[in-house]
Amino acid sequence: MNPQIDWKNLGFEYLDTGCHIRADFSAGKWSEPRVCSGNQLTIPIAATCLHYGQACFEGLKVFRRADGTTACFRPQANADRLASSARRLCMMAPPADIFVEAVAKLVQANQRYIPPFGAGASFYVRPLLIGTSPIIGVHESDDYIFIVLGMPVGPYYKNGLFPVRGLVQEHYDRAAPNGVGHVKAAGNYAAALIGDKEARARGFDVSLYLDSATHEFVDEFTTSNFIGITRDRRYVTPDSTSVLPSVTNNSLQRIAADLGFTVERRPVRWDELATFSEIGACGTAAVITPVYSLTRGSETLTFGDDNAAGPVLTSLYEEIQAIQYGKKEDRYGWIHLLDEVSDVR
Ligand SMILES: Cc1ncc(COP(=O)(O)O)c(C=O)c1O
């Protein structure tokens, strides 16, 4: 019954586990989340998610921990962010208890896909909310489907906590100041595909976006927030209306403060980047990715070593992972334990 998975060599890739969770909003109420088999969905061809972008999603992780328990990292924060995305896109979000119950049911139904402790892997959970009413004029949907799928994943970048090279996007913006950059709208990622594709073709690993109004301030990377560390122990991260409030960044700020860093959330000028000793990209998928260089036009700034993460980002990474994998006490109340139940499918 056990899938033949090489846990230690997993990448960050889609895997069909044969089931997902689904809840429906229709006639003004949500159904109970239920386990559905397969990986297909049937929706009207005029669904608002397809034509008008009424689609938003989340990403969170489940960990098999040192003591054998299985736990999800801060699901309430992701439920709250999905609700915020839904509000901005005029959608109906599932209440947080349905969100968390759906995650728990997904994990229950996929026990054999939860990587063992010690493999350096985790189970990535992807909640998705879409408007499904067939409507041809531009208008919000009456009906919504909430899906939660998941799969075991390894490190986002093959080399794990290893410095990458970033390209500053000059010809494409990701989010407008009063637009939807602060929520997890599916369309934000479509907007960034072309810049990322061109960056990859030029040998860069990540793209950094500046504020779209002036290009003077740092916003964030395509799928992660920006962190700058200074030699005088400051943790600096942009305060911008077009940055997604990252759960990882929020958690790292708490940890950094407890490690004695001064945490600064404020506009970060491109001009001041040279003052940072370490730069990181942070998010659920990769946790922390050290950024060795940032290229903007003909200028390239470098930070630390090109073959090892800096000491501060390394200690932040180790600290948050120790909490997630249960090697260290969760002083913050971030760990949501999931019942150990066998595969119920
Ligand atoms: C645009 C963007 N910024 C930041 C993040 C990191 O957020 P989190 O730490 O909640 O995964 C993500 C990933 O969700 C993202 O897509």
Side-chain angles (χ1 to χ4, degrees):
M1 281 293 273
N2 260 348
Q4 295 299 308
I5 293 179
D6 182 2
W7 302 112
K8 287 208 156 108
N9 290 306
L10 278 173
F12 197 87
E13 272 144 34
Y14 177 74
L15 180 83
D16 177 13
T17 68
C19 74
H20 60 275
I21 306 299
R22 170 173 175 164
D24 292 71
F25 183 84
S26 72
K29 60 176 197 302
W30 280 102
S31 69
E32 273 288 300
R34 61 188 190 281
V35 181
C36 297
S37 60
N39 68 350
Q40 303 284 313
L41 185 65
T42 302
I43 56 169
I45 57 175
T48 62
C49 63
L50 299 177
H51 297 251
Y52 304 127
Q54 272 202 307
C56 55
F57 66 99
E58 273 304 321
L60 60 164
K61 277 181 173 169
V62 165
F63 300 87
R64 187 91 74 190
R65 293 151 50 86
D67 63 0
T69 56
T70 306
C72 186
F73 189 68
R74 305 191 68 181
Q76 179 73 41
N78 293 89
D80 292 347
R81 194 170 63 186
L82 187 72
S84 148
S85 300
R87 267 194 304 278
R88 180 63 179 80
L89 302 175
C90 279
M91 300 171 72
M92 190 56 69
D97 57 333
I98 289 190
F99 182 105
V100 176
E101 185 186 339
V103 173
K105 281 192 169 158
L106 180 78
V107 170
Q108 233 175 70
N110 283 289
Q111 282 294 315
R112 58 198 158 144
Y113 286 99
I114 313 292
F117 174 75
S122 57
F123 188 76
Y124 181 71
V125 176
R126 168 58 62 82
L128 169 72
L129 180 67
I130 54 173
T132 54
S133 300
I135 296 177
I136 207 63
V138 179
H139 197 274
E140 70 269 22
S141 182
D142 294 322
D143 305 293
Y144 293 89
I145 297 179
F146 176 56
I147 295 282
V148 186
L149 57 128
M151 67 219 68
V153 295
Y156 195 77
Y157 295 104
K158 262 202 199 76
N159 299 329
L161 190 68
F162 193 82
V164 301
R165 287 152 39 90
L167 178 69
V168 177
Q169 290 290 339
E170 297 218 273
H171 305 298
Y172 306 109
D173 289 321
R174 180 184 167 274
N178 295 315
V180 293
H182 63 297
V183 297
K184 216 163 160 59
N188 289 344
Y189 299 84
L193 286 174
I194 189 166
D196 282 3
K197 188 175 171 186
E198 290 178 8
R200 269 198 310 277
R202 291 176 54 193
F204 294 97
D205 309 290
V206 291
S207 291
L208 178 66
Y209 288 88
L210 303 175
D211 79 288
S212 58
T214 67
H215 278 202
E216 283 179 16
F217 296 91
V218 173
D219 262 354
E220 64 175 327
F221 298 95
T222 311
T223 59
S224 43
N225 276 183
F226 175 99
I227 310 168
I229 304 292
T230 65
R231 283 186 215 293
D232 58 350
R233 293 179 70 79
R234 284 180 292 130
Y235 176 116
V236 183
T237 193
D239 188 14
S240 156
T241 54
S242 39
V243 162
L244 188 77
S246 153
V247 177
T248 313
N249 192 358
N250 175 281
S251 311
L252 292 173
Q253 287 172 41
R254 300 267 309 269
I255 293 173
D258 286 353
L259 292 176
F261 285 80
T262 304
V263 175
E264 295 179 5
R265 283 190 61 235
R266 58 169 174 80
V268 177
R269 297 187 71 84
W270 167 258
D271 294 350
E272 70 175 283
L273 253 63
T275 65
F276 293 125
S277 52
E278 296 176 46
I279 299 269
C282 71
T284 296
V287 188
I288 295 179
T289 305
V291 177
Y292 163 67
S293 68
L294 284 172
T295 299
R296 182 179 186 186
S298 55
E299 178 187 17
T300 294
L301 301 174
T302 60
F303 309 90
D305 216 328
D306 66 350
N307 62 16
V312 176
L313 292 179
T314 302
S315 64
L316 289 170
Y317 176 84
E318 284 171 356
E319 195 70 20
I320 192 168
Q321 288 262 283
I323 295 171
Q324 291 174 325
Y325 283 110
K327 292 191 253 179
K328 259 203 169 160
E329 185 205 346
D330 169 26
R331 301 192 304 278
Y332 307 96
W334 291 336
I335 295 303
H336 180 89
L337 284 176
L338 299 167
D339 292 341
E340 272 301 312
V341 220
S342 61
D343 206 324
V344 292
R345 260 190 285 166

